[in-house]
Amino acid sequence: ERGGYDHFMLKEIMEQPSTLRETMRGRLLEDEGSVKLGGLTGMDDELRQAKRVVILGCGTSWHSGLIGEYLLEDIARIPTEVEYASEFRYRRAVVEPETLAIAISQSGETADTLWAMREAKQQGATTLGVVNAVGGTIPRETDAGIYLHAGPEIGVASTKAFTSQVVVLTMMTIHLGRLRGTLSQSRGREIVRALRQLPEQVAEILKMDNEIRALAEQYKDSKNFLYLGRGYNFPAALEGALKLKEISYIHAEGYPAAEMKHGPIALIDENMPVVVIAPRDGVYDKVRSNIDEVKARGGCIIAVVSEDDEELAGVVEHVIRIPRTHDALTPILASIPLQLLAYHIAVLRGANVDQPRNLAKSVTVE
Ligand code: M6R
Protein backbone atom coordinates (compact mmCIF):
# COMPACT_ATOMS: atom_id res chain seq x y z
CA GLU A 1 0.00 0.00 0.00
CA ARG A 2 3.02 2.25 0.41
CA GLY A 3 3.83 1.50 -3.22
CA GLY A 4 7.21 -0.02 -2.37
CA TYR A 5 8.35 3.02 -0.39
CA ASP A 6 9.40 2.93 3.27
CA HIS A 7 6.86 5.53 4.29
CA PHE A 8 3.62 7.03 3.06
CA MET A 9 5.27 10.44 3.17
CA LEU A 10 7.92 9.41 0.63
CA LYS A 11 5.31 7.76 -1.58
CA GLU A 12 3.23 10.93 -1.47
CA ILE A 13 6.22 13.13 -2.27
CA MET A 14 7.18 10.90 -5.18
CA GLU A 15 3.70 10.73 -6.67
CA GLN A 16 3.40 14.49 -7.10
CA PRO A 17 3.93 14.47 -10.89
CA SER A 18 0.78 12.37 -11.18
CA THR A 19 -1.24 14.06 -8.44
CA LEU A 20 -0.58 17.45 -10.04
CA ARG A 21 -1.73 16.03 -13.37
CA GLU A 22 -4.94 14.80 -11.72
CA THR A 23 -5.53 18.20 -10.14
CA MET A 24 -5.32 19.85 -13.57
CA ARG A 25 -7.00 17.15 -15.64
CA GLY A 26 -9.66 18.60 -17.96
CA ARG A 27 -9.38 22.00 -16.29
CA LEU A 28 -6.81 23.89 -18.42
CA LEU A 29 -7.91 25.81 -21.52
CA GLU A 30 -4.60 26.80 -23.02
CA ASP A 31 -5.77 28.62 -26.16
CA GLU A 32 -8.31 30.68 -24.23
CA GLY A 33 -5.73 31.47 -21.53
CA SER A 34 -8.34 30.29 -19.08
CA VAL A 35 -9.60 27.33 -17.03
CA LYS A 36 -12.75 25.27 -16.64
CA LEU A 37 -13.73 24.64 -13.03
CA GLY A 38 -16.91 22.57 -12.86
CA GLY A 39 -17.24 23.14 -9.12
CA LEU A 40 -17.73 26.87 -9.69
CA THR A 41 -20.56 26.53 -12.22
CA GLY A 42 -23.37 28.97 -11.55
CA MET A 43 -21.16 31.19 -9.38
CA ASP A 44 -20.19 33.78 -12.01
CA ASP A 45 -22.25 36.62 -10.53
CA GLU A 46 -20.86 36.16 -7.02
CA LEU A 47 -17.32 35.82 -8.34
CA ARG A 48 -17.63 38.93 -10.48
CA GLN A 49 -19.15 41.04 -7.72
CA ALA A 50 -16.83 40.02 -4.90
CA LYS A 51 -15.05 43.02 -3.41
CA ARG A 52 -12.62 41.06 -1.32
CA VAL A 53 -11.46 37.58 -0.49
CA VAL A 54 -10.71 36.10 2.90
CA ILE A 55 -8.84 32.80 2.97
CA LEU A 56 -9.17 30.52 6.01
CA GLY A 57 -6.98 27.55 6.92
CA CYS A 58 -4.57 25.98 9.41
CA GLY A 59 -1.00 24.70 9.16
CA THR A 60 0.06 23.79 5.65
CA SER A 61 -3.33 24.83 4.29
CA TRP A 62 -2.74 28.28 5.78
CA HIS A 63 0.60 28.39 3.96
CA SER A 64 -0.98 27.57 0.61
CA GLY A 65 -3.57 30.24 1.48
CA LEU A 66 -0.77 32.79 1.82
CA ILE A 67 0.40 31.92 -1.68
CA GLY A 68 -3.25 32.30 -2.70
CA GLU A 69 -3.19 35.85 -1.35
CA TYR A 70 -0.14 36.71 -3.43
CA LEU A 71 -1.75 35.12 -6.51
CA LEU A 72 -5.15 36.80 -6.14
CA GLU A 73 -3.68 40.24 -5.57
CA ASP A 74 -0.87 40.02 -8.13
CA ILE A 75 -2.77 38.36 -10.94
CA ALA A 76 -6.51 38.93 -10.37
CA ARG A 77 -6.09 42.22 -8.44
CA ILE A 78 -8.63 41.30 -5.74
CA PRO A 79 -7.97 42.55 -2.19
CA THR A 80 -7.25 39.41 -0.18
CA GLU A 81 -6.47 38.47 3.38
CA VAL A 82 -5.42 35.16 4.85
CA GLU A 83 -6.38 34.26 8.38
CA TYR A 84 -5.55 31.46 10.76
CA ALA A 85 -8.98 29.87 11.03
CA SER A 86 -8.57 29.55 14.80
CA GLU A 87 -8.05 33.31 15.15
CA PHE A 88 -10.70 34.41 12.67
CA ARG A 89 -13.28 32.37 14.54
CA TYR A 90 -13.02 34.13 17.85
CA ARG A 91 -11.79 37.63 17.11
CA ARG A 92 -15.11 39.16 16.01
CA ALA A 93 -13.80 39.72 12.50
CA VAL A 94 -15.77 42.07 10.29
CA VAL A 95 -16.97 40.42 7.10
CA GLU A 96 -18.03 43.06 4.62
CA PRO A 97 -20.81 42.43 2.11
CA GLU A 98 -19.64 40.82 -1.12
CA THR A 99 -16.84 38.90 0.50
CA LEU A 100 -15.69 35.58 -0.86
CA ALA A 101 -14.50 33.25 1.91
CA ILE A 102 -12.25 30.40 0.76
CA ALA A 103 -11.79 27.54 3.25
CA ILE A 104 -8.70 25.46 2.47
CA SER A 105 -8.44 22.02 4.07
CA GLN A 106 -6.87 18.77 2.93
CA SER A 107 -9.20 16.71 5.13
CA GLY A 108 -12.26 18.92 4.88
CA GLU A 109 -12.81 18.19 8.58
CA THR A 110 -10.50 20.54 10.49
CA ALA A 111 -12.69 21.98 13.26
CA ASP A 112 -11.21 25.47 13.30
CA THR A 113 -11.47 25.83 9.52
CA LEU A 114 -15.01 24.52 9.48
CA TRP A 115 -16.16 26.90 12.19
CA ALA A 116 -14.34 29.88 10.67
CA MET A 117 -16.11 29.13 7.38
CA ARG A 118 -19.46 28.91 9.20
CA GLU A 119 -18.76 32.26 10.84
CA ALA A 120 -17.99 33.90 7.48
CA LYS A 121 -21.12 32.35 5.99
CA GLN A 122 -23.25 33.50 8.85
CA GLN A 123 -22.02 37.04 8.25
CA GLY A 124 -23.12 36.80 4.63
CA ALA A 125 -19.99 35.72 2.77
CA THR A 126 -20.13 33.47 -0.27
CA THR A 127 -18.14 30.40 0.74
CA LEU A 128 -15.87 28.24 -1.39
CA GLY A 129 -14.03 25.07 -0.36
CA VAL A 130 -10.61 23.93 -1.55
CA VAL A 131 -10.58 20.38 -0.23
CA ASN A 132 -8.92 17.06 -1.03
CA ALA A 133 -11.02 14.43 0.80
CA VAL A 134 -14.24 14.01 -1.16
CA GLY A 135 -17.55 14.34 0.67
CA GLY A 136 -16.34 15.88 3.92
CA THR A 137 -18.08 18.43 6.07
CA ILE A 138 -16.49 21.55 4.55
CA PRO A 139 -17.44 20.71 0.93
CA ARG A 140 -20.94 19.84 2.12
CA GLU A 141 -21.48 23.19 3.76
CA THR A 142 -19.76 25.59 1.35
CA ASP A 143 -21.67 27.21 -1.51
CA ALA A 144 -19.25 25.83 -4.10
CA GLY A 145 -15.73 24.56 -4.32
CA ILE A 146 -12.91 22.79 -6.06
CA TYR A 147 -11.56 19.38 -5.15
CA LEU A 148 -7.82 18.70 -5.37
CA HIS A 149 -8.20 15.13 -6.72
CA ALA A 150 -4.77 14.34 -5.26
CA GLY A 151 -5.92 11.01 -3.78
CA PRO A 152 -5.86 10.10 -0.07
CA GLU A 153 -2.99 11.65 1.87
CA ILE A 154 -1.96 9.35 4.72
CA GLY A 155 1.32 10.84 6.01
CA VAL A 156 0.65 13.35 8.78
CA ALA A 157 3.00 15.81 7.08
CA SER A 158 1.09 17.29 4.18
CA THR A 159 3.04 17.17 0.90
CA LYS A 160 1.05 16.36 -2.23
CA ALA A 161 -2.00 18.19 -0.88
CA PHE A 162 0.08 21.36 -0.51
CA THR A 163 1.30 21.41 -4.12
CA SER A 164 -2.20 20.61 -5.41
CA GLN A 165 -3.71 23.34 -3.22
CA VAL A 166 -1.38 25.88 -4.81
CA VAL A 167 -2.32 24.64 -8.28
CA VAL A 168 -6.03 24.93 -7.47
CA LEU A 169 -5.54 28.43 -6.10
CA THR A 170 -3.66 29.34 -9.29
CA MET A 171 -6.50 28.01 -11.43
CA MET A 172 -9.04 29.85 -9.28
CA THR A 173 -7.03 33.05 -9.72
CA ILE A 174 -6.97 32.61 -13.50
CA HIS A 175 -10.73 32.02 -13.47
CA LEU A 176 -11.41 35.12 -11.38
CA GLY A 177 -8.97 37.26 -13.34
CA ARG A 178 -10.47 36.30 -16.70
CA LEU A 179 -14.04 36.68 -15.43
CA ARG A 180 -13.38 40.12 -13.96
CA GLY A 181 -11.26 41.35 -16.86
CA THR A 182 -8.14 41.86 -14.72
CA LEU A 183 -6.17 39.11 -16.47
CA SER A 184 -5.56 39.28 -20.21
CA GLN A 185 -5.84 36.26 -22.45
CA SER A 186 -2.12 36.33 -23.26
CA ARG A 187 -1.06 36.54 -19.61
CA GLY A 188 -3.56 33.83 -18.77
CA ARG A 189 -2.07 31.67 -21.49
CA GLU A 190 1.43 32.08 -20.04
CA ILE A 191 0.29 30.81 -16.66
CA VAL A 192 -1.72 27.93 -18.11
CA ARG A 193 1.30 26.90 -20.15
CA ALA A 194 3.51 27.00 -17.08
CA LEU A 195 0.97 24.89 -15.18
CA ARG A 196 1.01 22.28 -17.92
CA GLN A 197 4.79 21.92 -17.63
CA LEU A 198 4.76 21.50 -13.86
CA PRO A 199 4.39 17.69 -13.56
CA GLU A 200 7.43 17.12 -15.81
CA GLN A 201 9.45 19.67 -13.89
CA VAL A 202 8.53 18.12 -10.55
CA ALA A 203 9.63 14.73 -11.90
CA GLU A 204 13.01 16.30 -12.81
CA ILE A 205 13.46 17.60 -9.27
CA LEU A 206 12.55 14.26 -7.72
CA LYS A 207 15.54 12.71 -9.50
CA MET A 208 17.76 14.66 -7.09
CA ASP A 209 16.60 12.49 -4.20
CA ASN A 210 20.09 11.01 -3.61
CA GLU A 211 21.73 14.38 -3.68
CA ILE A 212 19.29 15.68 -1.10
CA ARG A 213 19.76 12.63 1.09
CA ALA A 214 23.50 13.39 1.12
CA LEU A 215 22.73 16.92 2.22
CA ALA A 216 20.48 15.54 4.95
CA GLU A 217 23.40 13.38 6.21
CA GLN A 218 25.45 16.50 6.56
CA TYR A 219 22.89 18.54 8.48
CA LYS A 220 20.91 15.96 10.43
CA ASP A 221 22.48 16.91 13.77
CA SER A 222 21.81 20.63 13.52
CA LYS A 223 19.80 22.02 16.41
CA ASN A 224 18.13 24.86 14.52
CA PHE A 225 17.31 25.79 10.94
CA LEU A 226 16.23 29.04 9.37
CA TYR A 227 14.23 29.15 6.11
CA LEU A 228 14.08 32.37 4.13
CA GLY A 229 12.22 33.50 1.04
CA ARG A 230 10.50 36.56 -0.36
CA GLY A 231 7.43 37.21 -2.45
CA TYR A 232 5.80 33.98 -3.58
CA ASN A 233 8.52 32.05 -1.78
CA PHE A 234 8.00 33.54 1.65
CA PRO A 235 5.14 31.06 2.29
CA ALA A 236 7.33 28.31 0.81
CA ALA A 237 9.92 29.15 3.49
CA LEU A 238 7.27 28.82 6.21
CA GLU A 239 6.18 25.50 4.75
CA GLY A 240 9.76 24.20 4.50
CA ALA A 241 10.30 25.02 8.18
CA LEU A 242 7.01 23.40 9.25
CA LYS A 243 7.87 20.16 7.39
CA LEU A 244 11.22 19.94 9.15
CA LYS A 245 9.95 20.69 12.65
CA GLU A 246 6.91 18.44 12.61
CA ILE A 247 8.68 15.27 11.50
CA SER A 248 12.31 15.66 12.63
CA TYR A 249 11.67 17.65 15.84
CA ILE A 250 14.43 20.09 14.89
CA HIS A 251 13.56 23.67 15.68
CA ALA A 252 13.08 25.59 12.46
CA GLU A 253 11.71 28.99 11.60
CA GLY A 254 10.57 30.47 8.35
CA TYR A 255 10.91 34.19 7.73
CA PRO A 256 10.48 36.70 4.95
CA ALA A 257 14.18 37.18 4.11
CA ALA A 258 14.20 40.95 4.63
CA GLU A 259 12.71 40.67 8.14
CA MET A 260 15.91 39.03 9.34
CA LYS A 261 17.60 42.28 10.10
CA HIS A 262 14.75 43.11 12.48
CA GLY A 263 15.70 40.36 14.88
CA PRO A 264 16.42 36.82 13.74
CA ILE A 265 19.77 37.72 12.19
CA ALA A 266 21.07 37.69 15.77
CA LEU A 267 20.70 33.89 15.70
CA ILE A 268 23.08 33.37 12.82
CA ASP A 269 26.47 31.75 13.32
CA GLU A 270 28.41 28.97 11.59
CA ASN A 271 26.25 26.31 13.27
CA MET A 272 23.02 27.63 11.84
CA PRO A 273 22.02 26.20 8.47
CA VAL A 274 19.99 28.74 6.52
CA VAL A 275 17.85 27.52 3.65
CA VAL A 276 17.27 30.36 1.20
CA ILE A 277 14.76 30.06 -1.63
CA ALA A 278 16.26 32.17 -4.40
CA PRO A 279 14.94 31.35 -7.87
CA ARG A 280 15.40 33.88 -10.71
CA ASP A 281 12.10 35.61 -10.07
CA GLY A 282 11.09 39.23 -9.64
CA VAL A 283 12.73 39.51 -6.20
CA TYR A 284 15.97 37.67 -6.99
CA ASP A 285 18.21 40.72 -6.52
CA LYS A 286 16.59 41.47 -3.18
CA VAL A 287 17.08 37.92 -1.92
CA ARG A 288 20.63 38.05 -3.23
CA SER A 289 21.45 40.91 -0.85
CA ASN A 290 19.82 39.05 2.05
CA ILE A 291 22.15 36.14 1.23
CA ASP A 292 25.11 38.48 1.57
CA GLU A 293 23.84 39.59 4.98
CA VAL A 294 23.77 35.96 6.16
CA LYS A 295 27.21 35.24 4.70
CA ALA A 296 28.66 38.28 6.42
CA ARG A 297 27.64 36.72 9.77
CA GLY A 298 29.20 33.35 8.95
CA GLY A 299 25.90 31.56 8.25
CA CYS A 300 25.93 28.36 6.25
CA ILE A 301 23.57 28.55 3.27
CA ILE A 302 21.66 25.94 1.33
CA ALA A 303 20.11 27.83 -1.60
CA VAL A 304 17.30 26.67 -3.86
CA VAL A 305 18.16 28.36 -7.17
CA SER A 306 17.12 28.31 -10.82
CA GLU A 307 18.81 25.70 -12.99
CA ASP A 308 20.76 28.33 -14.94
CA ASP A 309 21.90 30.40 -11.96
CA GLU A 310 25.62 31.04 -12.25
CA GLU A 311 25.97 33.56 -9.52
CA LEU A 312 25.12 31.80 -6.29
CA ALA A 313 27.06 28.53 -6.60
CA GLY A 314 30.28 30.35 -5.73
CA VAL A 315 28.74 32.24 -2.82
CA VAL A 316 26.74 29.68 -0.81
CA GLU A 317 27.66 26.24 0.62
CA HIS A 318 25.13 24.23 -1.40
CA VAL A 319 22.83 24.87 -4.31
CA ILE A 320 19.73 22.86 -5.21
CA ARG A 321 18.72 23.59 -8.79
CA ILE A 322 15.07 23.77 -9.91
CA PRO A 323 13.68 24.37 -13.42
CA ARG A 324 12.48 27.78 -14.55
CA THR A 325 8.76 28.50 -14.36
CA HIS A 326 6.32 31.39 -13.98
CA ASP A 327 7.15 33.39 -10.81
CA ALA A 328 3.83 32.39 -9.24
CA LEU A 329 4.62 28.69 -9.56
CA THR A 330 8.15 28.80 -8.14
CA PRO A 331 6.94 27.93 -4.61
CA ILE A 332 5.57 24.63 -5.92
CA LEU A 333 8.92 23.63 -7.40
CA ALA A 334 10.91 25.00 -4.46
CA SER A 335 8.83 22.98 -1.98
CA ILE A 336 9.74 19.61 -3.48
CA PRO A 337 13.42 19.53 -2.44
CA LEU A 338 12.45 20.94 0.97
CA GLN A 339 9.97 18.10 1.48
CA LEU A 340 12.72 15.61 0.63
CA LEU A 341 15.22 17.34 2.90
CA ALA A 342 12.82 17.20 5.86
CA TYR A 343 11.96 13.58 5.10
CA HIS A 344 15.56 12.36 4.91
CA ILE A 345 16.65 14.27 8.01
CA ALA A 346 13.74 12.76 9.96
CA VAL A 347 14.49 9.23 8.76
CA LEU A 348 18.20 9.60 9.59
CA ARG A 349 17.27 10.73 13.09
CA GLY A 350 15.09 7.67 13.52
CA ALA A 351 11.83 9.58 13.78
CA ASN A 352 8.45 8.09 12.91
CA VAL A 353 7.82 10.25 9.86
CA ASP A 354 4.32 9.06 9.03
CA GLN A 355 3.09 9.50 12.58
CA PRO A 356 5.04 12.19 14.36
CA ARG A 357 4.59 12.44 18.12
CA ASN A 358 1.70 14.57 19.39
CA LEU A 359 0.16 15.01 15.94
CA ALA A 360 -2.97 13.71 14.23
CA LYS A 361 -3.72 13.74 10.53
CA SER A 362 -7.00 15.47 11.01
CA VAL A 363 -7.51 17.92 13.86
CA THR A 364 -11.22 17.72 14.61
CA VAL A 365 -10.96 19.30 18.04
CA GLU A 366 -10.34 22.99 18.53
O1 M6R B 1 -6.77 18.89 6.74
P1 M6R B 1 -6.29 20.30 6.84
O2 M6R B 1 -5.65 20.78 5.58
O3 M6R B 1 -7.39 21.23 7.27
O4 M6R B 1 -5.20 20.30 7.98
C1 M6R B 1 -4.62 21.51 8.41
C2 M6R B 1 -3.40 21.23 9.28
O5 M6R B 1 -3.77 20.52 10.42
C3 M6R B 1 -2.31 20.48 8.52
O6 M6R B 1 -1.91 21.13 7.36
C4 M6R B 1 -1.07 20.26 9.42
O7 M6R B 1 -0.45 21.48 9.69
C5 M6R B 1 -0.10 19.28 8.78
N1 M6R B 1 0.44 18.39 9.77
C6 M6R B 1 1.04 19.96 8.06
O8 M6R B 1 1.92 19.06 7.48
Side-chain angles (χ1 to χ4, degrees), residues 247-261:
I247 60 169
S248 74
Y249 318 138
I250 295 175
H251 170 245
E253 283 192 62
Y255 257 95
E259 270 294 303
M260 269 215 317
K261 53 183 164 302

Side-chain angles (χ1 to χ4, degrees), residues 277-299:
I277 308 174
R280 284 264 178 198
D281 61 6
V283 289
Y284 178 80
D285 291 335
K286 303 282 162 201
V287 178
R288 177 68 239 260
S289 43
N290 300 136
I291 287 177
D292 293 337
E293 291 162 11
V294 175
K295 286 305 321 164
R297 274 112 191 142

Side-chain angles (χ1 to χ4, degrees), residues 129-166:
V130 172
V131 171
N132 191 35
V134 176
T137 313
I138 291 175
R140 223 174 24 245
E141 292 192 23
T142 37
D143 298 312
I146 306 178
Y147 280 118
L148 305 184
H149 297 309
E153 189 181 67
I154 311 292
V156 165
S158 186
T159 52
K160 64 176 181 172
F162 174 73
T163 48
S164 284
Q165 284 167 344
V166 179

Side-chain angles (χ1 to χ4, degrees), residues 5-15 340 343:
Y5 291 106
D6 289 346
H7 301 97
F8 281 109
M9 182 181 177
L10 186 59
K11 168 182 175 270
E12 288 159 4
I13 292 172
M14 290 297 177
E15 72 190 5
L340 286 170
Y343 171 78

Side-chain angles (χ1 to χ4, degrees), residues 2 5-13 153-159 213 216 220 242-250 338-361:
R2 285 189 243 107
Y5 291 106
D6 289 346
H7 301 97
F8 281 109
M9 182 181 177
L10 186 59
K11 168 182 175 270
E12 288 159 4
I13 292 172
E153 189 181 67
I154 311 292
V156 165
S158 186
T159 52
R213 193 187 308 130
K220 68 177 184 355
L242 176 61
K243 284 302 83 111
L244 186 71
K245 65 188 132 186
E246 70 178 331
I247 60 169
S248 74
Y249 318 138
I250 295 175
L338 303 188
Q339 293 170 350
L340 286 170
L341 183 66
Y343 171 78
H344 287 301
I345 290 179
V347 171
L348 289 165
R349 290 167 67 99
N352 181 354
V353 293
D354 280 338
Q355 266 169 342
R357 66 186 183 202
N358 310 337
L359 288 174
K361 181 63 182 162

Side-chain angles (χ1 to χ4, degrees), residues 24 167 194-202 325 329 332-333:
M24 294 185 272
V167 164
L195 279 171
R196 208 184 279 295
Q197 287 175 355
L198 269 185
E200 276 296 302
Q201 294 179 318
V202 169
T325 181
L329 304 182
I332 298 180
L333 297 185

